[in-house]
Amino acid sequence: MRWRNLAPTMTAIGSPRPAQLETRGRARLRFAVVALTLCGALVLGLCVAASPRLGTGQAFFPLYSGSVALGARGEVVPVFDPNQLVPGTRVLANTPDTAEQARGQLAWLAGGTMPSVPELGDSTLVRDALLDLHVLGSSHGVAVAGWATPWRYVWPRDSALVATALARTGHLEDAERVVDFLGGVQPEGGTFQARYRPDGTGVPDSRGVQSDSLGWTLWAVRQVADAWPQDTRRAFVERHRRLLDRSTQASVRLLDNPRSLPPASSDYWEMKEKRLSLSTATLLHAGLVAAQTLYAVLGDRDRSDDAADAADRTAAAIHRVFAPNGYPRHAGGPARSVDLGVSYLLPPFTDRVDPLVLQVWRASAGYLARPAGGLAPGGSWRQDGVSWTTATSSYAMTAAMVGDRDAAVERLRWLADHRTATGSLPEKVLADGRPASVAPLAWAAAAVLIAADALGPEPR
Protein backbone atom coordinates (compact mmCIF):
# COMPACT_ATOMS: atom_id res chain seq x y z
CA MET A 1 0.00 0.00 0.00
CA ARG A 2 1.32 3.43 -0.88
CA TRP A 3 0.75 6.02 1.89
CA ARG A 4 -0.37 9.35 0.60
CA ASN A 5 1.47 12.47 1.73
CA LEU A 6 -1.20 14.60 3.36
CA ALA A 7 0.95 17.68 3.97
CA PRO A 8 0.10 19.60 0.77
CA THR A 9 -3.61 19.15 1.39
CA MET A 10 -3.49 20.11 5.05
CA THR A 11 -1.36 23.21 4.59
CA ALA A 12 -3.74 24.40 1.93
CA ILE A 13 -6.68 24.45 4.34
CA GLY A 14 -7.60 27.69 6.12
CA SER A 15 -6.75 31.36 5.68
CA PRO A 16 -3.52 33.30 6.47
CA ARG A 17 -2.65 33.33 10.19
CA PRO A 18 -0.39 35.33 12.52
CA ALA A 19 3.22 34.06 12.67
CA GLN A 20 2.80 32.49 16.13
CA LEU A 21 -0.28 30.52 15.08
CA GLU A 22 1.40 29.51 11.83
CA THR A 23 4.42 28.13 13.74
CA ARG A 24 2.13 26.21 16.07
CA GLY A 25 0.16 24.93 13.07
CA ARG A 26 3.30 23.66 11.40
CA ALA A 27 4.28 21.81 14.57
CA ARG A 28 0.86 20.18 14.67
CA LEU A 29 1.17 19.32 11.02
CA ARG A 30 4.55 17.66 11.57
CA PHE A 31 3.07 15.69 14.45
CA ALA A 32 0.13 14.58 12.28
CA VAL A 33 2.41 13.48 9.46
CA VAL A 34 4.67 11.53 11.85
CA ALA A 35 1.64 9.93 13.48
CA LEU A 36 0.19 8.92 10.13
CA THR A 37 3.55 7.50 9.03
CA LEU A 38 3.86 5.45 12.21
CA CYS A 39 0.29 4.19 11.83
CA GLY A 40 0.99 3.29 8.25
CA ALA A 41 4.09 1.33 9.18
CA LEU A 42 2.16 -0.46 11.92
CA VAL A 43 -0.69 -1.41 9.56
CA LEU A 44 1.75 -2.51 6.86
CA GLY A 45 3.67 -4.59 9.39
CA LEU A 46 0.50 -6.26 10.60
CA CYS A 47 -0.52 -7.02 7.02
CA VAL A 48 2.83 -8.59 6.26
CA ALA A 49 2.76 -10.58 9.48
CA ALA A 50 -0.74 -11.84 8.76
CA SER A 51 -0.01 -12.81 5.14
CA PRO A 52 1.28 -16.27 4.22
CA ARG A 53 5.06 -16.23 4.31
CA LEU A 54 7.38 -18.02 1.95
CA GLY A 55 11.15 -18.24 1.93
CA THR A 56 13.51 -15.55 0.72
CA GLY A 57 13.16 -14.99 -3.01
CA GLN A 58 9.90 -16.94 -3.15
CA ALA A 59 6.96 -15.04 -4.57
CA PHE A 60 3.41 -15.04 -3.25
CA PHE A 61 0.32 -14.66 -5.43
CA PRO A 62 -3.30 -14.94 -4.29
CA LEU A 63 -5.76 -17.39 -5.81
CA TYR A 64 -8.34 -15.38 -7.74
CA SER A 65 -10.89 -18.19 -8.09
CA GLY A 66 -11.11 -21.91 -7.46
CA SER A 67 -13.00 -22.69 -10.63
CA VAL A 68 -15.82 -21.47 -12.85
CA ALA A 69 -19.33 -22.80 -13.26
CA LEU A 70 -22.51 -22.18 -15.21
CA GLY A 71 -25.02 -20.29 -13.12
CA ALA A 72 -28.54 -19.08 -13.84
CA ARG A 73 -29.20 -18.53 -17.55
CA GLY A 74 -25.76 -19.91 -18.37
CA GLU A 75 -23.87 -17.07 -16.73
CA VAL A 76 -20.25 -17.97 -15.92
CA VAL A 77 -19.67 -17.68 -12.18
CA PRO A 78 -16.36 -17.98 -10.25
CA VAL A 79 -16.49 -20.48 -7.37
CA PHE A 80 -14.21 -21.50 -4.51
CA ASP A 81 -16.26 -24.05 -2.61
CA PRO A 82 -16.89 -27.47 -4.22
CA ASN A 83 -20.19 -27.60 -2.32
CA GLN A 84 -21.42 -24.84 -4.64
CA LEU A 85 -21.31 -27.27 -7.57
CA VAL A 86 -23.55 -30.08 -8.73
CA PRO A 87 -21.32 -33.16 -8.25
CA GLY A 88 -19.57 -34.25 -11.44
CA THR A 89 -20.30 -30.97 -13.23
CA ARG A 90 -19.28 -27.35 -13.50
CA VAL A 91 -22.83 -26.19 -12.79
CA LEU A 92 -23.80 -23.96 -9.88
CA ALA A 93 -26.20 -25.67 -7.48
CA ASN A 94 -29.46 -24.17 -6.24
CA THR A 95 -30.35 -21.90 -9.17
CA PRO A 96 -33.73 -21.95 -10.94
CA ASP A 97 -32.25 -23.76 -13.95
CA THR A 98 -29.60 -25.91 -12.26
CA ALA A 99 -31.15 -29.14 -13.52
CA GLU A 100 -31.35 -27.89 -17.10
CA GLN A 101 -27.76 -26.64 -17.08
CA ALA A 102 -26.49 -29.90 -15.58
CA ARG A 103 -28.34 -31.99 -18.18
CA GLY A 104 -26.89 -29.89 -20.97
CA GLN A 105 -23.33 -30.15 -19.67
CA LEU A 106 -23.54 -33.90 -19.13
CA ALA A 107 -24.97 -34.32 -22.63
CA TRP A 108 -22.02 -32.35 -24.00
CA LEU A 109 -19.60 -34.66 -22.21
CA ALA A 110 -21.43 -37.72 -23.54
CA GLY A 111 -21.17 -36.34 -27.06
CA GLY A 112 -17.39 -36.85 -27.02
CA THR A 113 -14.86 -39.20 -25.51
CA MET A 114 -13.07 -39.12 -22.17
CA PRO A 115 -9.34 -39.97 -22.28
CA SER A 116 -8.40 -42.55 -19.69
CA VAL A 117 -5.05 -42.90 -17.94
CA PRO A 118 -5.18 -45.96 -15.65
CA GLU A 119 -2.19 -44.82 -13.59
CA LEU A 120 -4.19 -41.80 -12.38
CA GLY A 121 -6.68 -44.06 -10.63
CA ASP A 122 -9.90 -42.32 -9.68
CA SER A 123 -8.51 -38.82 -10.18
CA THR A 124 -10.93 -36.39 -11.79
CA LEU A 125 -8.10 -34.45 -13.46
CA VAL A 126 -9.05 -35.28 -17.05
CA ARG A 127 -12.79 -34.87 -16.61
CA ASP A 128 -12.43 -31.59 -14.76
CA ALA A 129 -10.07 -30.22 -17.40
CA LEU A 130 -12.62 -30.98 -20.12
CA LEU A 131 -15.44 -29.40 -18.11
CA ASP A 132 -13.34 -26.29 -17.54
CA LEU A 133 -12.78 -25.87 -21.28
CA HIS A 134 -16.52 -26.22 -21.80
CA VAL A 135 -17.31 -23.43 -19.34
CA LEU A 136 -14.50 -21.13 -20.52
CA GLY A 137 -15.95 -21.36 -24.03
CA SER A 138 -19.61 -21.15 -23.11
CA SER A 139 -20.07 -17.39 -23.40
CA HIS A 140 -18.74 -16.82 -26.92
CA GLY A 141 -18.20 -20.28 -28.39
CA VAL A 142 -14.42 -19.98 -28.06
CA ALA A 143 -12.55 -20.50 -24.81
CA VAL A 144 -10.90 -17.55 -23.12
CA ALA A 145 -7.54 -18.14 -21.45
CA GLY A 146 -9.06 -17.74 -17.99
CA TRP A 147 -12.07 -16.11 -16.39
CA ALA A 148 -10.33 -13.50 -14.21
CA THR A 149 -10.58 -10.20 -16.08
CA PRO A 150 -6.94 -9.88 -17.28
CA TRP A 151 -7.17 -13.37 -18.79
CA ARG A 152 -10.65 -13.09 -20.28
CA TYR A 153 -9.33 -12.85 -23.83
CA VAL A 154 -8.44 -15.22 -26.65
CA TRP A 155 -4.74 -15.88 -27.26
CA PRO A 156 -4.06 -17.78 -30.51
CA ARG A 157 -1.59 -20.09 -28.75
CA ASP A 158 -4.07 -21.08 -26.02
CA SER A 159 -6.76 -21.44 -28.67
CA ALA A 160 -4.58 -23.79 -30.72
CA LEU A 161 -4.18 -26.09 -27.74
CA VAL A 162 -7.88 -25.86 -26.89
CA ALA A 163 -8.94 -26.67 -30.46
CA THR A 164 -6.60 -29.67 -30.48
CA ALA A 165 -7.88 -30.93 -27.13
CA LEU A 166 -11.50 -30.56 -28.18
CA ALA A 167 -10.86 -32.35 -31.46
CA ARG A 168 -9.04 -35.21 -29.75
CA THR A 169 -11.94 -35.67 -27.33
CA GLY A 170 -14.50 -35.85 -30.12
CA HIS A 171 -15.94 -32.34 -29.84
CA LEU A 172 -15.27 -31.48 -33.47
CA GLU A 173 -17.85 -28.72 -33.83
CA ASP A 174 -16.44 -26.91 -30.79
CA ALA A 175 -12.93 -27.33 -32.18
CA GLU A 176 -13.96 -25.91 -35.53
CA ARG A 177 -15.51 -22.87 -33.86
CA VAL A 178 -12.07 -22.06 -32.49
CA VAL A 179 -10.57 -22.33 -35.98
CA ASP A 180 -13.41 -20.17 -37.32
CA PHE A 181 -12.62 -17.53 -34.72
CA LEU A 182 -8.95 -17.42 -35.70
CA GLY A 183 -9.90 -17.10 -39.35
CA GLY A 184 -12.31 -14.31 -38.49
CA VAL A 185 -9.82 -12.14 -36.62
CA GLN A 186 -6.88 -12.75 -38.96
CA PRO A 187 -6.06 -9.67 -41.08
CA GLU A 188 -5.29 -9.78 -44.78
CA GLY A 189 -1.56 -9.78 -44.06
CA GLY A 190 -1.88 -12.92 -41.98
CA THR A 191 -0.02 -12.03 -38.78
CA PHE A 192 -1.96 -12.20 -35.52
CA GLN A 193 -2.04 -9.84 -32.58
CA ALA A 194 -1.13 -11.20 -29.14
CA ARG A 195 -4.76 -11.57 -28.04
CA TYR A 196 -8.32 -10.71 -28.98
CA ARG A 197 -11.64 -9.93 -27.38
CA PRO A 198 -13.74 -13.10 -27.33
CA ASP A 199 -16.58 -11.45 -29.25
CA GLY A 200 -14.19 -10.94 -32.19
CA THR A 201 -14.36 -7.14 -32.10
CA GLY A 202 -10.62 -6.58 -32.04
CA VAL A 203 -7.73 -6.34 -29.63
CA PRO A 204 -7.93 -5.11 -26.03
CA ASP A 205 -4.52 -3.44 -25.90
CA SER A 206 -1.36 -2.57 -27.80
CA ARG A 207 0.73 -5.67 -27.12
CA GLY A 208 1.22 -5.97 -30.84
CA VAL A 209 1.94 -8.80 -33.23
CA GLN A 210 3.28 -12.15 -32.03
CA SER A 211 4.50 -14.11 -35.03
CA ASP A 212 4.52 -17.48 -33.27
CA SER A 213 0.73 -17.36 -33.56
CA LEU A 214 1.06 -18.24 -37.23
CA GLY A 215 2.72 -21.51 -36.30
CA TRP A 216 0.24 -22.23 -33.53
CA THR A 217 -2.67 -21.63 -35.91
CA LEU A 218 -1.42 -23.82 -38.75
CA TRP A 219 -0.55 -26.55 -36.28
CA ALA A 220 -4.05 -26.39 -34.78
CA VAL A 221 -5.75 -26.58 -38.18
CA ARG A 222 -3.79 -29.73 -38.94
CA GLN A 223 -4.55 -31.25 -35.53
CA VAL A 224 -8.27 -30.65 -35.95
CA ALA A 225 -8.18 -31.88 -39.56
CA ASP A 226 -6.51 -35.10 -38.44
CA ALA A 227 -9.39 -35.74 -36.05
CA TRP A 228 -12.02 -35.53 -38.81
CA PRO A 229 -12.99 -38.77 -40.56
CA GLN A 230 -11.01 -39.41 -43.73
CA ASP A 231 -13.99 -38.80 -46.01
CA THR A 232 -14.72 -35.34 -44.52
CA ARG A 233 -11.18 -34.15 -43.84
CA ARG A 234 -10.68 -32.43 -47.18
CA ALA A 235 -13.96 -30.55 -46.82
CA PHE A 236 -12.82 -29.25 -43.42
CA VAL A 237 -9.53 -27.98 -44.85
CA GLU A 238 -11.36 -26.39 -47.79
CA ARG A 239 -13.57 -24.48 -45.37
CA HIS A 240 -10.45 -22.96 -43.85
CA ARG A 241 -8.44 -22.49 -47.03
CA ARG A 242 -8.14 -18.73 -46.58
CA LEU A 243 -6.72 -19.18 -43.06
CA LEU A 244 -4.29 -21.79 -44.39
CA ASP A 245 -3.15 -19.62 -47.30
CA ARG A 246 -2.74 -16.42 -45.31
CA SER A 247 -0.90 -18.10 -42.45
CA THR A 248 1.43 -20.02 -44.73
CA GLN A 249 2.24 -17.01 -46.90
CA ALA A 250 2.88 -14.81 -43.86
CA SER A 251 5.16 -17.47 -42.36
CA VAL A 252 7.17 -17.80 -45.58
CA ARG A 253 7.54 -14.01 -45.79
CA LEU A 254 8.99 -13.89 -42.28
CA LEU A 255 11.51 -16.57 -43.20
CA ASP A 256 12.42 -15.20 -46.64
CA ASN A 257 15.85 -13.89 -45.75
CA PRO A 258 19.45 -15.18 -45.94
CA ARG A 259 19.23 -16.69 -42.43
CA SER A 260 15.88 -18.49 -43.02
CA LEU A 261 14.92 -17.38 -39.51
CA PRO A 262 12.22 -14.90 -38.47
CA PRO A 263 12.84 -11.54 -36.81
CA ALA A 264 12.48 -11.19 -33.04
CA SER A 265 8.95 -11.27 -31.67
CA SER A 266 7.23 -11.68 -28.35
CA ASP A 267 6.27 -15.25 -27.57
CA TYR A 268 4.66 -17.13 -24.67
CA TRP A 269 6.85 -15.24 -22.19
CA GLU A 270 4.79 -12.14 -23.09
CA MET A 271 7.85 -9.90 -23.03
CA LYS A 272 9.32 -7.50 -25.55
CA GLU A 273 12.08 -9.32 -27.39
CA LYS A 274 15.10 -7.75 -29.06
CA ARG A 275 16.53 -11.15 -30.00
CA LEU A 276 14.89 -14.11 -31.70
CA SER A 277 13.64 -16.70 -29.25
CA LEU A 278 13.87 -20.39 -30.05
CA SER A 279 10.13 -20.88 -29.57
CA THR A 280 9.24 -18.30 -32.23
CA ALA A 281 11.47 -20.07 -34.75
CA THR A 282 10.39 -23.59 -33.84
CA LEU A 283 6.69 -22.77 -33.93
CA LEU A 284 6.96 -21.20 -37.38
CA HIS A 285 8.72 -24.38 -38.45
CA ALA A 286 5.93 -26.47 -36.91
CA GLY A 287 3.36 -24.41 -38.78
CA LEU A 288 5.06 -25.05 -42.11
CA VAL A 289 5.22 -28.78 -41.38
CA ALA A 290 1.47 -28.63 -40.76
CA ALA A 291 0.90 -26.62 -43.96
CA GLN A 292 2.73 -29.26 -45.96
CA THR A 293 0.26 -31.89 -44.73
CA LEU A 294 -2.80 -29.67 -45.14
CA TYR A 295 -1.99 -28.81 -48.76
CA ALA A 296 -1.42 -32.50 -49.41
CA VAL A 297 -4.95 -33.17 -48.10
CA LEU A 298 -6.20 -30.67 -50.68
CA GLY A 299 -4.16 -32.34 -53.41
CA ASP A 300 -2.16 -29.15 -53.96
CA ARG A 301 1.25 -30.76 -54.48
CA ASP A 302 3.05 -27.54 -55.49
CA ARG A 303 2.10 -25.66 -52.32
CA SER A 304 2.75 -28.72 -50.19
CA ASP A 305 6.26 -28.98 -51.64
CA ASP A 306 6.86 -25.26 -51.16
CA ALA A 307 5.84 -25.50 -47.49
CA ALA A 308 8.09 -28.54 -47.05
CA ASP A 309 11.05 -26.71 -48.59
CA ALA A 310 10.54 -23.69 -46.32
CA ALA A 311 10.20 -25.97 -43.30
CA ASP A 312 13.43 -27.80 -44.18
CA ARG A 313 15.37 -24.56 -44.62
CA THR A 314 14.12 -23.25 -41.30
CA ALA A 315 14.87 -26.51 -39.51
CA ALA A 316 18.43 -26.44 -40.85
CA ALA A 317 18.83 -22.84 -39.70
CA ILE A 318 17.45 -23.60 -36.22
CA HIS A 319 19.84 -26.50 -35.74
CA ARG A 320 22.79 -24.52 -37.11
CA VAL A 321 22.19 -21.51 -34.86
CA PHE A 322 20.79 -23.04 -31.66
CA ALA A 323 22.21 -26.57 -31.44
CA PRO A 324 25.84 -25.64 -30.62
CA ASN A 325 24.76 -24.20 -27.25
CA GLY A 326 22.15 -26.82 -26.39
CA TYR A 327 19.07 -25.09 -27.85
CA PRO A 328 18.94 -22.15 -25.41
CA ARG A 329 16.16 -19.60 -25.44
CA HIS A 330 18.31 -17.15 -27.40
CA ALA A 331 21.11 -18.06 -29.79
CA GLY A 332 24.48 -18.11 -28.04
CA GLY A 333 22.90 -18.28 -24.59
CA PRO A 334 23.82 -20.86 -21.95
CA ALA A 335 22.32 -24.35 -22.11
CA ARG A 336 20.57 -23.74 -18.78
CA SER A 337 18.39 -21.07 -20.45
CA VAL A 338 16.52 -23.72 -22.43
CA ASP A 339 12.73 -23.34 -22.43
CA LEU A 340 9.64 -24.81 -24.07
CA GLY A 341 10.97 -23.82 -27.48
CA VAL A 342 12.94 -27.05 -27.70
CA SER A 343 9.76 -29.11 -27.22
CA TYR A 344 8.29 -27.56 -30.37
CA LEU A 345 10.92 -29.49 -32.33
CA LEU A 346 9.30 -32.72 -31.14
CA PRO A 347 5.86 -34.35 -31.59
CA PRO A 348 3.11 -33.27 -31.67
CA PHE A 349 4.66 -30.27 -33.42
CA THR A 350 6.85 -32.24 -35.80
CA ASP A 351 6.64 -35.71 -37.29
CA ARG A 352 10.23 -36.74 -36.57
CA VAL A 353 12.23 -37.21 -33.38
CA ASP A 354 15.78 -35.90 -33.52
CA PRO A 355 17.87 -37.80 -30.89
CA LEU A 356 19.85 -34.68 -29.91
CA VAL A 357 16.72 -32.58 -29.49
CA LEU A 358 15.13 -35.36 -27.44
CA GLN A 359 18.18 -35.50 -25.19
CA VAL A 360 18.13 -31.73 -24.65
CA TRP A 361 14.40 -31.75 -23.97
CA ARG A 362 14.76 -34.48 -21.33
CA ALA A 363 17.58 -32.58 -19.63
CA SER A 364 15.57 -29.33 -19.69
CA ALA A 365 13.35 -30.49 -16.83
CA GLY A 366 16.29 -30.07 -14.46
CA TYR A 367 16.75 -26.43 -15.44
CA LEU A 368 13.02 -25.66 -15.27
CA ALA A 369 12.40 -27.44 -11.92
CA ARG A 370 10.91 -25.47 -9.05
CA PRO A 371 10.60 -26.23 -5.30
CA ALA A 372 7.02 -27.51 -5.34
CA GLY A 373 7.85 -30.05 -8.06
CA GLY A 374 6.51 -28.29 -11.13
CA LEU A 375 8.30 -26.42 -13.90
CA ALA A 376 8.94 -22.78 -14.76
CA PRO A 377 8.49 -21.34 -18.28
CA GLY A 378 12.24 -21.50 -18.88
CA GLY A 379 15.61 -22.10 -17.28
CA SER A 380 16.40 -18.39 -17.25
CA TRP A 381 12.98 -17.47 -15.82
CA ARG A 382 13.10 -15.55 -12.54
CA GLN A 383 13.97 -17.67 -9.52
CA ASP A 384 10.84 -16.93 -7.48
CA GLY A 385 10.01 -20.50 -6.49
CA VAL A 386 6.81 -20.57 -8.58
CA SER A 387 5.81 -23.56 -10.72
CA TRP A 388 3.68 -22.90 -13.80
CA THR A 389 1.05 -25.40 -14.90
CA THR A 390 1.46 -24.25 -18.51
CA ALA A 391 5.06 -25.44 -18.55
CA THR A 392 4.38 -28.59 -16.52
CA SER A 393 1.40 -29.70 -18.62
CA SER A 394 3.32 -28.94 -21.83
CA TYR A 395 6.13 -31.18 -20.62
CA ALA A 396 3.59 -33.94 -19.91
CA MET A 397 2.16 -33.52 -23.41
CA THR A 398 5.54 -33.83 -25.09
CA ALA A 399 6.48 -36.81 -22.91
CA ALA A 400 3.30 -38.60 -23.92
CA MET A 401 3.93 -37.86 -27.58
CA VAL A 402 7.51 -39.17 -27.62
CA GLY A 403 6.55 -42.34 -25.77
CA ASP A 404 7.96 -41.44 -22.36
CA ARG A 405 4.93 -42.68 -20.47
CA ASP A 406 6.50 -42.62 -17.01
CA ALA A 407 7.50 -38.96 -17.32
CA ALA A 408 4.08 -37.99 -18.68
CA VAL A 409 2.22 -39.78 -15.89
CA GLU A 410 4.51 -38.29 -13.25
CA ARG A 411 3.73 -34.76 -14.47
CA LEU A 412 0.00 -35.48 -14.71
CA ARG A 413 -0.02 -36.81 -11.16
CA TRP A 414 1.71 -33.67 -9.95
CA LEU A 415 -0.86 -31.52 -11.74
CA ALA A 416 -3.71 -33.57 -10.27
CA ASP A 417 -2.29 -33.08 -6.78
CA HIS A 418 -1.89 -29.31 -7.11
CA ARG A 419 -5.33 -28.28 -8.30
CA THR A 420 -7.67 -26.02 -6.44
CA ALA A 421 -10.26 -27.37 -3.98
CA THR A 422 -12.79 -27.39 -6.81
CA GLY A 423 -10.50 -29.42 -9.08
CA SER A 424 -9.29 -26.78 -11.55
CA LEU A 425 -5.72 -26.22 -12.69
CA PRO A 426 -4.34 -22.86 -11.55
CA GLU A 427 -1.81 -20.90 -13.53
CA LYS A 428 0.77 -20.99 -10.75
CA VAL A 429 1.73 -23.19 -7.81
CA LEU A 430 3.67 -21.54 -5.00
CA ALA A 431 6.89 -22.92 -3.55
CA ASP A 432 4.94 -24.46 -0.68
CA GLY A 433 2.54 -26.24 -3.06
CA ARG A 434 -0.46 -23.95 -2.83
CA PRO A 435 -2.40 -23.10 -6.03
CA ALA A 436 -2.26 -19.43 -7.00
CA SER A 437 -3.31 -16.88 -9.61
CA VAL A 438 -6.09 -17.62 -12.09
CA ALA A 439 -7.99 -20.93 -12.20
CA PRO A 440 -8.93 -22.61 -14.41
CA LEU A 441 -6.42 -21.97 -17.16
CA ALA A 442 -7.27 -23.07 -20.71
CA TRP A 443 -3.68 -23.80 -21.78
CA ALA A 444 -3.02 -26.18 -18.88
CA ALA A 445 -6.39 -27.92 -19.16
CA ALA A 446 -5.95 -28.45 -22.90
CA ALA A 447 -2.39 -29.77 -22.60
CA VAL A 448 -3.53 -32.26 -19.94
CA LEU A 449 -6.25 -33.55 -22.26
CA ILE A 450 -3.85 -33.88 -25.20
CA ALA A 451 -1.36 -35.75 -23.02
CA ALA A 452 -4.03 -38.06 -21.63
CA ASP A 453 -5.37 -38.83 -25.10
CA ALA A 454 -1.86 -39.54 -26.41
CA LEU A 455 -1.14 -41.94 -23.54
CA GLY A 456 -4.19 -44.02 -24.28
CA PRO A 457 -5.96 -46.37 -21.89
CA GLU A 458 -3.26 -49.05 -21.79
CA PRO A 459 0.33 -48.62 -20.56
CA ARG A 460 2.80 -49.38 -23.31
Side-chain angles (χ1 to χ4, degrees):
M1 181 175 180
R2 301 180 68 181
W3 290 93
R4 185 179 165 205
N5 185 355
L6 300 181
T9 302
M10 296 180 71
T11 55
I13 297 176
S15 55
R17 313 171 201 178
Q20 186 176 5
L21 291 177
E22 185 174 352
T23 300
R24 188 179 303 169
R26 288 175 177 171
R28 289 173 178 168
L29 175 59
R30 284 195 297 271
F31 176 80
V33 171
V34 170
L36 283 171
T37 302
L38 291 173
C39 288
L42 177 61
V43 171
L44 182 60
L46 290 173
C47 289
V48 170
S51 66
R53 303 187 74 176
L54 299 173
T56 303
Q58 296 177 353
F60 172 77
F61 299 91
L63 181 64
Y64 303 134
S65 68
S67 188
V68 288
L70 297 179
R73 299 175 299 281
E75 178 186 6
V76 178
V77 180
V79 294
F80 278 99
D81 185 353
N83 293 319
Q84 294 178 270
L85 302 171
V86 175
T89 75
R90 285 285 187 263
V91 174
L92 201 63
N94 303 318
T95 72
D97 52 355
T98 290
E100 179 183 354
Q101 295 289 349
R103 281 194 298 270
Q105 196 169 81
L106 292 173
W108 181 82
L109 281 179
T113 58
M114 186 72 65
S116 174
V117 182
E119 295 96 325
L120 296 181
D122 59 359
S123 171
T124 61
L125 172 68
V126 174
R127 180 188 180 94
D128 289 342
L130 190 52
L131 287 172
D132 284 338
L133 291 188
H134 180 249
V135 177
L136 289 173
S138 62
S139 294
H140 295 92
V142 57
V144 292
W147 197 250
T149 302
W151 288 264
R152 205 178 297 175
Y153 301 106
V154 178
W155 275 261
R157 73 177 64 92
D158 297 59
S159 295
L161 289 162
V162 170
T164 301
L166 291 172
R168 282 177 167 265
T169 55
H171 300 282
L172 291 175
E173 292 183 1
D174 299 83
E176 185 162 11
R177 275 197 292 273
V178 177
V179 177
D180 282 335
F181 179 90
L182 293 173
V185 298
Q186 186 181 42
E188 186 71 33
T191 53
F192 290 94
Q193 295 288 311
R195 59 183 187 170
Y196 295 87
R197 297 187 185 94
D199 60 3
T201 58
V203 298
D205 52 35
S206 58
R207 293 191 181 201
V209 167
Q210 291 186 358
S211 55
D212 65 341
S213 297
L214 291 165
W216 279 112
T217 298
L218 287 167
W219 174 77
V221 175
R222 179 192 173 179
Q223 294 295 307
V224 178
D226 286 349
W228 279 83
Q230 186 70 41
D231 60 342
T232 59
R233 189 170 301 161
R234 177 167 181 161
F236 167 81
V237 180
E238 287 283 10
R239 289 197 294 275
H240 303 286
R241 179 66 184 260
R242 187 175 70 168
L243 178 62
L244 169 59
D245 289 345
R246 284 180 172 178
S247 300
T248 303
Q249 291 163 12
S251 298
V252 170
R253 283 197 301 271
L254 288 172
L255 299 165
D256 187 15
N257 58 69
R259 298 177 67 226
S260 295
L261 290 171
S265 172
S266 295
D267 60 8
Y268 72 97
W269 281 39
E270 294 290 341
M271 295 180 180
K272 295 289 186 183
E273 293 288 343
K274 295 182 179 179
R275 294 182 293 162
L276 171 65
S277 67
L278 177 63
S279 65
T280 294
T282 53
L283 281 163
L284 284 168
H285 168 258
L288 289 169
V289 171
Q292 174 188 355
T293 299
L294 292 167
Y295 281 121
V297 170
L298 296 175
D300 192 334
R301 181 177 296 275
D302 288 342
R303 293 200 179 190
S304 180
D305 289 346
D306 288 345
D309 289 343
D312 289 344
R313 288 195 304 273
T314 303
I318 289 170
H319 295 307
R320 182 179 66 252
V321 171
F322 288 91
N325 297 96
Y327 296 95
R329 174 167 172 79
H330 298 111
R336 65 178 180 274
S337 68
V338 65
D339 65 6
L340 294 182
V342 72
S343 66
Y344 304 141
L345 285 171
L346 294 168
F349 298 93
T350 63
D351 299 325
R352 291 174 286 184
V353 177
D354 182 299
L356 176 60
V357 173
L358 184 62
Q359 180 183 350
V360 170
W361 168 78
R362 284 181 171 146
S364 70
Y367 296 120
L368 274 59
R370 290 299 181 261
L375 304 176
S380 57
W381 190 262
R382 56 184 173 270
Q383 293 291 330
D384 58 1
V386 175
S387 300
W388 288 66
T389 61
T390 48
T392 311
S393 60
S394 294
Y395 198 94
M397 179 178 69
T398 302
M401 288 291 178
V402 299
D404 194 342
R405 188 178 187 93
D406 290 343
V409 170
E410 178 186 358
R411 298 297 174 185
L412 291 178
R413 281 188 179 133
W414 184 88
L415 290 162
D417 292 342
H418 291 83
R419 292 178 292 162
T420 65
T422 45
S424 288
L425 289 161
E427 181 184 54
K428 301 179 180 71
V429 174
L430 303 179
D432 62 5
R434 282 177 293 168
S437 192
V438 61
L441 196 70
W443 176 335
V448 161
L449 289 163
I450 297 168
D453 179 70
L455 288 173
E458 297 297 331
R460 287 193 286 270

